[in-house]
Amino acid sequence: MKSKKIVILTGAGISAESGIETFRAAGGLWENHRVEDVATPEGFAKDPELVHRFYNLRRAALKTVKPNAAHVALAKLEDGLKQNGGQLTLVTQNVDDLHERGGTKEVIHMHGILTSMLCGTCEHRWEYLEDASPHLSCPKCYVKNTSRPDIVWFGEMPYAMHVIEERLSDCDLFVSIGTSGAVYPAAGFVQMASSIGKATLELNLERSQGSHFFDESRLGAAGTLVPQWVDEVLKV
Ligand code: NAD
């Protein structure tokens, strides 16, 4: 096995074949809403009702979708690397839970996850699977009206950046799957990895914005490309 420590970054493209619309497919709108209105702290402050309603719909929609072959293949890769003394670090920009439901055990949700709520007062996080409203109270500090979806909005610092940077500096290979390379800091991981001599690979439907930074780009649907690539990695 050539690569034993692999860091993977996934984006909305890996969930497209499961039926979750990507961001770019909607022409820069997210399910017909302006990003400023539903994915910024300012949007939440202006209209918390609308923002909760938006994420309630996304959360409820999770119950209607299933992981696809790409999610399942990455779980197989995690197992296979572990059995050979290696490690998969799966970092996702996605706020869906399809990697977990596809079987991957350790997933870093750098932009948060729909199935979690965050208290704006004491920063407690808790699993939340139902519809939320601005009146929801925090189960820890009991303060009402400040609970928000546990999503990293534009202008906020993504989660676990120090862990991701550590894993990037310790990996053999960095792979980007189904992401347009438009949202930073995730879009900068390829430069971070290649500047310290790591091999880099992109698997995407079309060339991403940072495509020229990768050693290799394979173009096609994740549901086909990812299982093929995982078999290659585990065979060698
Ligand atoms: P993006 O929509 O900007 O880009 C998606 C990329 O995936 C595009 O380059 C597209 O060509 C590619 N793609 C589409 N279908 C594909 C397929 N079947 N196989 C392989 N590639 C495919 O998404 P992004 O780069 O993740 O950035 C958008 C932001 O929006 C992220 O921060 C994310 O949090 C959020 N978002 C998340 C979800 C989700 O959780 N599923 C969905 C939409 C947006």
Side-chain angles (χ1 to χ4, degrees):
M1 189 178 288
K2 216 166 93 193
S3 302
K4 282 196 167 181
K5 286 189 174 175
I6 302 179
V7 176
I8 295 181
L9 170 71
T10 65
I14 199 166
S15 296
E17 287 158 84
S18 293
I20 302 181
E21 199 175 40
T22 65
F23 184 54
R24 303 292 134 184
L29 293 176
W30 195 355
E31 302 277 348
N32 296 321
H33 288 276
R34 293 190 327 145
V35 167
E36 296 82 345
D37 295 337
V38 294
T40 62
E42 294 77 19
F44 184 61
K46 198 169 131 205
D47 194 345
E49 193 88 48
L50 167 79
V51 174
H52 273 298
R53 210 165 49 235
F54 175 80
Y55 290 99
N56 286 345
L57 288 172
R58 313 272 82 71
R59 192 178 305 112
L62 290 181
K63 293 178 184 149
T64 68
V65 296
K66 287 198 294 235
N68 64 53
H71 298 105
V72 173
L74 294 186
K76 180 173 150 188
L77 179 64
E78 183 184 50
D79 270 353
L81 289 177
K82 199 170 171 198
Q83 278 167 26
N84 284 282
Q87 183 182 45
L88 173 68
T89 300
L90 179 53
V91 182
T92 188
Q93 298 170 90
N94 294 345
V95 295
D96 65 53
D97 59 354
L98 294 180
H99 281 304
E100 285 85 349
R101 282 160 55 197
T104 302
K105 292 178 194 77
E106 196 206 340
V107 185
I108 298 177
H109 279 272
M110 65 179 290
H111 292 167
I113 188 162
L114 286 165
T115 53
S116 174
M117 205 56 72
L118 168 67
C119 174
T121 304
C122 74
E123 297 189 356
H124 176 62
R125 300 197 154 78
W126 69 101
E127 188 180 66
Y128 200 85
L129 307 175
E130 305 306 322
D131 282 353
S133 85
H135 315 296
L136 188 71
S137 59
C138 168
K140 193 169 174 212
C141 72
Y142 305 110
V143 171
K144 277 190 176 182
N145 302 322
T146 68
S147 297
R148 53 171 275 185
D150 190 7
I151 304 288
V152 177
W153 287 324
F154 287 93
E156 296 182 320
M157 179 59 86
Y159 294 146
M161 284 303 292
H162 59 290
V163 180
I164 299 169
E165 282 168 19
E166 234 172 66
R167 300 284 179 93
L168 276 172
S169 62
D170 188 38
C171 73
D172 311 312
L173 173 68
F174 169 70
V175 186
S176 169
I177 304 173
T179 170
S180 60
V183 179
Y184 279 83
F189 292 168
V190 58
Q191 285 149 282
M192 217 182 274
S194 64
S195 70
I196 48 174
K198 311 296 183 185
T200 56
L201 166 70
E202 158 175 79
L203 306 175
N204 207 40
L205 200 56
E206 59 196 3
R207 286 193 175 276
S208 66
Q209 289 187 21
S211 192
H212 54 286
F213 291 117
F214 288 88
D215 297 330
E216 188 188 348
S217 292
R218 296 186 191 178
L219 304 185
T224 309
L225 283 188
V226 177
Q228 276 169 3
W229 169 71
V230 166
D231 284 346
E232 267 174 47
V233 174
L234 295 179
K235 206 161 54 195
V236 189

